[in-house]
Amino acid sequence: MLPATPHAIPGVFMHPDSPISPRSRRPTAVWALALALAATGLAGCNRGGEAADTAAAEQAKPVPRYEAKLSLVNNNGALRYDGNVDSDAAKQAIVAALAHAYGAERVSGDLAVDPYARPADWAAQLPQFAAAFTQPGAAVSFEGRRIELAGQVAEADRAALLDRVRQLYPGYAYTGLFEGVGAGPANAALAALPAKAEAAAVVAALNQTPIGFEGDSARISAGSLDALAEAAKAIQAAPANTRIEIYGPAGGSDDQIDLSKQRAEAVKVLLIVNGVNPAAIETKSAPDGSRGLGFRLIK
């Protein structure tokens, strides 16, 4: 009788001299291939999971909705700032630039960090701008690609500051008191007043000065800031004890009446910012039949 042939055991190593045929060793190769495919699948799942996590993180980032903003007010060499920026790093960089230009003890304010704000393109040149912003009484604001000047600023200082912002921020919109620099007085009626005009003449010139507002709001339009700066000079040059009322249109709905009062108050505030004594200005309900913003003497 022939000797019995041993049975092959799947997955068990057999000596090469074993009489078991090569076909009997195929299960080992099948198991190895299955394990390799499983490992490849797990690696693919891990990569897919990482990609999904990255995509989810990107979707979770806030989408910017509005421009970062910075307002600066030079109060006789001391600087006050406020606004909002997109990150704490941007905030720290801005505060450091202002402290370097003015000295930390002369700088105060706060910046809100809001992830919905867009990155501030104007921040990179802020150190150079802050070094040139030395005009007491001036106020400037940055918002997107717009720079607005307000406050009490002499013509020569306005021109010098405008020249600097044009160098640092080419292509931006320069509004407020930057408008009309070098083009002469903002209003012909105010420019025609003599140095010591009578109170009645000052009021008449004020009533010929168009004051604009942004939309249906109490925010004075940038193009009217220069005119109100000239109006403030005229009021200050009027005879002592001159007192003036600012009024809005009479009649209409409650909303219109409220808006007219808010606009009169906005004009009063800006005149005070430009040096007018608060005691010299009042805001009251409009006289019957009036239309638009107006001025009159207080008897």
Side-chain angles (χ1 to χ4, degrees):
M1 294 181 64
L2 294 174
T5 300
H7 295 289
I9 302 174
V12 177
F13 175 77
M14 302 301 289
H15 191 276
D17 296 333
S18 171
I20 300 176
S21 68
R23 180 178 298 179
S24 65
R25 294 198 294 269
R26 287 180 181 174
T28 301
V30 172
W31 279 103
L33 178 60
L35 289 174
L37 290 174
T40 302
L42 288 173
C45 289
N46 288 338
R47 286 194 296 270
E50 292 173 358
D53 291 342
T54 301
E58 290 295 328
Q59 291 179 356
K61 289 182 180 179
V63 177
R65 297 176 181 173
Y66 51 85
E67 303 292 350
K69 184 176 181 179
L70 175 67
S71 296
L72 305 174
V73 178
N74 187 324
N75 186 12
N76 293 321
L79 189 75
R80 176 74 185 178
Y81 66 88
D82 64 75
N84 57 69
V85 291
D86 65 316
S87 67
D88 190 65
K91 172 182 177 178
Q92 297 303 324
I94 289 171
V95 173
L98 298 178
H100 178 75
Y102 291 87
E105 71 283 357
R106 299 183 69 80
V107 174
S108 62
D110 190 29
L111 285 175
V113 175
D114 189 336
Y116 289 100
R118 295 186 179 90
D121 294 338
W122 39 260
Q125 290 77 33
L126 191 62
Q128 298 94 312
F129 174 81
F133 187 56
T134 58
Q135 298 79 7
V140 69
S141 64
F142 295 82
E143 186 171 4
R145 294 181 64 81
R146 181 173 67 87
I147 307 174
E148 181 174 303
L149 178 65
Q152 190 171 5
V153 191
E155 178 72 19
D157 289 337
R158 290 165 54 197
L161 199 56
L162 178 59
D163 183 62
R164 189 59 175 148
V165 298
R166 281 174 171 164
Q167 294 174 9
L168 295 173
Y169 303 102
Y172 278 53
Y174 317 115
T175 64
L177 294 182
F178 283 135
E179 296 182 16
V181 170
N187 183 272
L190 291 170
L193 287 172
K196 296 294 182 181
E198 295 294 327
V202 171
V203 170
L206 291 173
N207 281 318
Q208 296 177 53
T209 304
I211 306 298
F213 298 87
E214 294 184 359
D216 293 327
S217 76
R219 180 179 171 85
I220 296 170
S221 65
S224 295
L225 296 179
D226 198 18
L228 283 174
E230 296 296 326
K233 294 177 184 177
I235 294 173
Q236 292 175 81
N241 300 321
T242 296
R243 299 177 65 235
I244 298 173
E245 289 178 351
I246 307 171
Y247 57 84
S253 66
D254 290 341
D255 289 343
Q256 290 175 333
I257 293 173
D258 289 342
L259 180 58
S260 73
K261 292 179 180 178
Q262 292 168 10
R263 287 178 167 179
E265 285 294 326
V267 171
K268 175 181 178 179
V269 167
L270 198 55
L271 290 173
I272 292 172
V273 167
N274 280 279
V276 175
N277 185 347
I281 313 172
E282 290 186 9
T283 57
K284 289 191 174 181
S285 299
D288 293 339
S290 67
R291 293 292 182 270
L293 191 76
F295 302 83
R296 67 179 180 181
L297 283 174
I298 299 176
K299 303 295 185 179

